[in-house]
Amino acid sequence: MAVAESLVKAPSPPRVSDATLRDSAHMAGVEFGPEDAAVIADLLVRTGVELVEVGMVSGPDSKDADLVLATHEAVGPERSMTLVVVRDRRQVTRALDEAARLGVRHIMYSIPTSEQHAVLKLDSPSPKYLEKLARSAITQAKERGFHVTFSGEDGARTPKERLVPYVTAGFEAGADRFRIAETVAYLSPWQMEEVIADLVAIDGSEIEIHSHNMLGMAVANSLAAVRAGAQWISATVGGIGERGGNAPLAELLTSLRVIHGDTRFDLTHLTELSRVALRGAGLGDAFQSGPTTPHAFSYELPGQLSHPEAYETLPAELVGNVRELRVRSRLTPALVTWALADSGLLVDIDAFTPWLVQRQERDGRPLLDRDAIRKAAVEFQPA
């Protein structure tokens, strides 16, 4: 049988969003500049990506403001989406104020749904509290005119009896779309189909899949989600991203072309996109996903370092890898404290941290790991 005759038709052609300027940009040690954002966003839209996810806000004076504004300038706010962190009602109000100030039209709420992540980030495992928080956040955003996608952070590990009522509550509150985040790579393609089938059965649901590639199945799981009825796939250029990377855009789009005969996308921009993204990310000429890379178990958020079990399907040691801190300018006292633990070095963290931040800015934001921070602490001399 000819290849063309054996193409498997997708239930419906998926819409594609790209999270390079959000998920990849928050990979440990990666910081894109506004110029990178403008070029990447433009190439993504020219490729046929419908929505460019850029930046993250949790309150005023967002560090990602320049990325968001550059993306708006390049492709317009209608083609971009910004992640808004959800922790409590007051914090959401501040974050929405910041999103409005930046001209954001489309937000994506990051809400932890697994019991483990809810305890870490919301201080409560209660599914009722989770639903109440989501309803409140979604209602606030819709009243202010935002298009709202809400997430299930660590949704792949969230049991059906906890996830389905949460998603149902979100759509009842007026949300436009739900994103299930495979924050921790966890599911096989056939398991993914079962999870998605439960979600698309919810009245009025529109579902997006966002997979991580630690187990090498992000593209397969994305295609399985579409097979089960998901309407959106989230990817990143080159698969760059946290925890083993994300679903790589080029592999995803070429799979749609070969397997499903999907010719909607202009694939000629993909190689240039990879070059630009890798250069902007400071990752050299290539990025490899999976559990054996130097980036796979690297973090720049204190909570990920102090509670790695919440973010890892398998521990670094199991594959002979190590857990590490990688950071450029996003230094915090908590990160510095982690880096200096058990080193025998005694410094004033509150004085040393801003000193190191200033030095990083002066020196062009070189990549720091634990050893580099310890070396800097030895050199530190209080004013």
Side-chain angles (χ1 to χ4, degrees):
M1 180 180 293
V3 173
E5 296 175 350
S6 66
L7 293 175
V8 179
K9 292 296 181 183
S12 61
R15 302 162 80 175
V16 176
S17 67
D18 182 275
T20 305
L21 296 173
R22 196 276 301 172
D23 201 312
S24 305
H26 293 103
M27 176 182 167
V30 173
E31 295 182 18
F32 289 108
E35 299 81 5
D36 301 315
V39 175
I40 290 170
D42 177 64
L43 286 170
L44 286 170
V45 169
R46 287 162 60 187
T47 298
V49 169
E50 190 162 338
L51 203 58
V52 178
E53 187 179 348
V54 55
M56 175 171 65
V57 299
S58 58
D61 302 319
S62 168
K63 292 182 178 180
D64 290 335
D66 289 345
L67 284 186
V68 173
L69 294 174
T71 301
H72 288 180
E73 181 69 22
V75 300
E78 297 82 6
R79 298 295 295 267
S80 67
M81 174 173 70
T82 296
L83 183 145
V84 173
V85 175
V86 173
R87 294 296 178 261
D88 57 54
R89 182 178 176 85
R90 183 178 299 177
Q91 177 266 318
V92 167
T93 299
R94 294 196 303 269
L96 292 179
D97 288 343
E98 176 71 354
R101 183 184 74 82
L102 296 173
V104 172
R105 307 274 181 83
H106 188 156
I107 65 167
M108 200 280 285
Y109 275 137
S110 175
I111 307 176
T113 55
S114 71
E115 184 171 333
Q116 187 174 18
H117 275 238
V119 169
L120 284 176
K121 298 171 184 179
L122 304 178
D123 296 321
S124 173
S126 168
K128 294 300 182 183
Y129 175 72
L130 183 67
E131 293 167 28
K132 180 180 178 181
L133 181 62
R135 286 180 184 273
S136 174
I138 292 165
T139 300
Q140 282 190 71
K142 294 304 294 184
E143 288 176 347
R144 298 176 64 159
F146 289 102
H147 184 283
V148 179
T149 297
F150 70 113
S151 80
E153 186 181 348
D154 202 23
R157 293 195 300 181
T158 304
K160 173 182 176 179
E161 58 271 18
R162 183 181 177 93
L163 184 63
V164 171
Y166 164 78
V167 178
T168 301
F171 282 115
E172 288 175 349
D176 300 282
R177 182 159 74 251
F178 172 70
R179 170 186 287 181
I180 180 168
E182 199 179 12
T183 306
V184 178
Y186 185 70
L187 300 177
S188 66
W190 49 93
Q191 291 170 318
M192 179 64 75
E193 287 195 35
E194 293 179 2
V195 171
I196 297 298
D198 290 332
L199 301 180
V200 298
I202 297 170
D203 287 343
S205 64
E206 182 175 298
I207 306 300
E208 179 173 16
I209 176 64
H210 175 85
S211 282
H212 282 259
N213 206 37
M214 187 68 88
L215 302 181
M217 291 190 288
V219 170
N221 279 352
S222 298
L223 296 179
V226 171
R227 179 182 171 92
Q231 296 99 322
W232 287 80
I233 299 174
S234 169
T236 66
V237 176
I240 304 171
E242 300 177 283
R243 295 177 300 282
N246 295 86
L249 181 69
E251 285 90 323
L252 174 67
L253 297 188
T254 52
S255 293
L256 288 173
R257 173 75 65 98
V258 173
I259 297 170
H260 296 300
D262 189 341
T263 60
R264 292 172 298 151
F265 301 95
D266 182 353
L267 307 185
T268 62
H269 301 295
L270 291 176
T271 298
E272 183 180 1
L273 259 170
S274 293
R275 290 197 192 105
V276 172
L278 288 165
R279 184 186 66 225
L283 294 173
D285 296 326
F287 171 75
Q288 179 187 358
S289 63
T292 61
T293 72
H295 312 283
F297 296 95
S298 294
Y299 305 109
E300 66 177 19
L301 296 178
Q304 294 174 333
L305 289 162
S306 56
H307 298 282
E309 71 284 350
Y311 296 90
E312 298 171 2
T313 309
L314 303 169
E317 298 78 11
L318 187 68
V319 294
N321 210 333
V322 295
R323 197 169 292 111
E324 184 55 272
L325 176 156
R326 287 175 181 263
V327 64
R328 294 185 187 273
S329 69
R330 300 186 184 115
L331 281 158
T332 63
L335 279 177
V336 172
T337 299
W338 184 88
L340 298 182
D342 301 321
S343 68
L345 295 169
L346 299 176
V347 298
D348 183 340
I349 299 294
D350 291 333
F352 172 58
T353 303
W355 176 86
L356 185 54
V357 168
Q358 290 177 2
R359 197 180 78 164
Q360 283 293 99
E361 294 295 336
R362 182 198 69 196
D363 295 345
R365 301 181 181 181
L367 188 64
L368 293 175
D369 58 14
R370 177 166 34 189
D371 289 341
I373 292 176
R374 290 182 175 186
K375 182 179 178 181
V378 173
E379 300 168 359
F380 174 60
Q381 294 294 330

